[in-house]
Amino acid sequence: MSNQTDAPAAPAADLSEGPRSVTNDPATQQAARDRRSRSATRLKLIRSAPAVFARQGIDGASVSDLCAAAGFTRGAFYSNFESKRELAILAFEDLATQLVDTLGTELDHWLGSGLDVEDVVTRIIEGVTDQVANVNQQALRVELSLAAFRFPEVRQQMAPIRARVFHAIEQALVRVAQTQRLEFLVSPGDVARMLLTSYSGQLADHMAMGGSGHGAQQVIPTMWLAFTRPT
């Protein structure tokens, strides 16, 4: 038999009253809805911007066109971004994030799906399987590269995004080499940069001549075979 004196338990309602009062506050709920709505608006503008910039360029695209592509009025732009250049950089960062996420979720699937290793490497470098989205991405990259030549602040903002992409691709290529028992003839970081810049250059050249970019990826398997060998 216990010698402790039983104390009356605190009512459950009293224990949760504080958090419930905050959650149920109409002003707090409205503020949360406003934040979600603004975040959704901002993301939609960012996701629709590459296609507009690909067609018209950063300087040529109008705020009205950028907003119309996302289904908003001009006010949505000015409440989210300071300039078209800021939107372009954020759009490129979003595309880079999607690439890194794709590599994180799909690489093991590609390696185990029976694809030839050259096809897996091609998917890594392309980043996405939708060619149209790829062309928009590359056109935006070219636009931002030109801006980086002219404006030091653009170079500073682009540098960590580019470094993140190169690192993710390097790690993916290392994973491919390990599973296929291959070794690199030069550093995997150099291979990642050579593959990506060669593919991007081929794609930009195709686009400049009015093409869709289809076929630019043919350079990837050739270069992969040139810089790896069986262990």
Side-chain angles (χ1 to χ4, degrees), residues 31-228:
R33 285 194 293 269
D34 290 344
R35 285 194 297 271
R36 288 194 297 268
S37 177
R38 180 170 180 177
S39 295
T41 297
R42 182 179 174 87
L43 183 60
K44 195 168 183 181
L45 284 163
I46 288 172
R47 291 274 170 92
S48 62
V52 180
F53 288 135
R55 291 193 304 269
Q56 302 179 28
I58 296 174
D59 292 333
S62 69
V63 170
S64 295
D65 289 337
L66 290 165
C67 290
F72 300 119
T73 61
R74 289 167 57 92
F77 178 91
Y78 293 111
S79 63
N80 284 282
F81 311 105
E82 293 185 1
S83 66
K84 292 185 292 183
R85 195 180 303 152
E86 179 193 10
L87 174 57
I89 292 172
L90 289 171
F92 185 78
E93 183 176 28
D94 179 63
L95 289 167
T97 297
Q98 291 181 61
L99 166 62
V100 173
D101 289 347
T102 296
L103 294 180
T105 59
E106 297 296 327
L107 181 55
D108 284 341
H109 170 70
W110 294 339
L111 288 170
S113 65
L115 288 170
D116 291 338
V117 62
E118 292 83 3
D119 291 331
V120 174
V121 173
T122 298
R123 290 196 178 193
I124 291 171
I125 300 302
E126 284 187 315
V128 291
T129 55
D130 181 352
Q131 186 64 29
V132 174
N134 229 359
V135 170
N136 290 339
Q137 177 181 353
Q138 294 303 323
L140 179 60
R141 184 194 63 80
V142 171
E143 285 288 323
L144 285 170
S145 294
L146 291 173
F149 273 114
R150 301 172 184 138
F151 306 104
E153 63 271 20
V154 175
R155 290 197 294 273
Q156 294 172 358
Q157 291 171 303
M158 289 290 292
I161 303 173
R162 287 169 53 86
R164 183 184 174 206
V165 170
F166 280 124
H167 179 71
I169 290 176
E170 176 185 353
Q171 294 303 304
L173 295 180
V174 168
R175 173 81 173 123
V176 172
Q178 289 173 341
T179 60
Q180 301 298 314
R181 298 184 179 180
L182 300 171
E183 64 179 358
F184 293 99
L185 300 180
V186 296
S187 74
D190 286 341
V191 174
R193 287 183 175 275
M194 286 187 287
L195 284 172
L196 187 58
T197 55
S198 296
Y199 167 67
S200 296
Q202 288 279 343
L203 187 56
D205 186 63
H206 280 224
M207 291 162 52
M209 294 297 103
S212 66
H214 181 70
Q217 69 272 29
Q218 292 176 359
V219 69
I220 298 172
T222 301
M223 294 188 68
W224 174 256
L225 291 172
F227 292 114
T228 59

